[in-house]
Amino acid sequence: MLRWYVAYTKPSSEYKAQTNINAQGFTSFLPQYLKQRRHARKTETVAAPLFPRYIFIQFDIERQQWRKLVSTIGISQIVCEGDRPTPIDRKS
């Protein structure tokens, strides 16, 4: 059964992690918002992670080789309870 899990990324590596996760055949979700950034008297609007250093990954823990996600470029660790990833609960 496909469920969503959370991974903790390395600093400022959310986009790099998402690219590498998707390249491995997993589905990822990186919520973003638009923020204003000022640099050298210019203001620009850029996309930024809503939850810095976190990315959501969807996989089937029983059928997919999820352990390779731990060594994915940009990922620091998978949020686990013991030695198994902790799924995000769906509240109805």
Side-chain angles (χ1 to χ4, degrees):
M1 177 165 90
L2 286 174
R3 297 195 61 187
W4 287 97
Y5 300 87
V6 180
Y8 189 62
T9 67
K10 294 179 180 174
S12 302
S13 296
E14 297 90 354
Y15 298 106
K16 187 186 303 183
Q18 185 176 39
T19 299
N20 290 305
I21 289 165
N22 294 344
Q24 293 179 48
F26 293 96
T27 301
S28 65
F29 176 61
L30 180 61
Q32 300 175 48
Y33 73 102
L34 296 176
K35 75 172 190 175
Q36 299 229 336
R37 180 171 66 181
R38 185 176 165 95
H39 180 70
R41 296 186 198 180
K42 290 184 180 179
T43 302
E44 61 183 347
T45 303
V46 296
L50 185 60
F51 306 110
R53 296 195 67 185
Y54 289 94
I55 189 167
F56 301 91
I57 308 168
Q58 185 182 44
F59 57 89
D60 184 337
I61 197 167
E62 302 299 331
R63 295 184 180 184
Q64 290 179 287
Q65 296 179 0
W66 62 268
R67 292 187 192 277
K68 64 183 176 180
L69 289 169
V70 177
S71 60
T72 299
I73 295 170
I75 297 292
S76 181
Q77 64 187 23
I78 305 294
V79 176
C80 292
E81 190 173 308
D83 63 343
R84 293 177 60 89
T86 306
I88 298 173
D89 287 335
R90 291 182 74 176
K91 302 289 182 187
S92 299

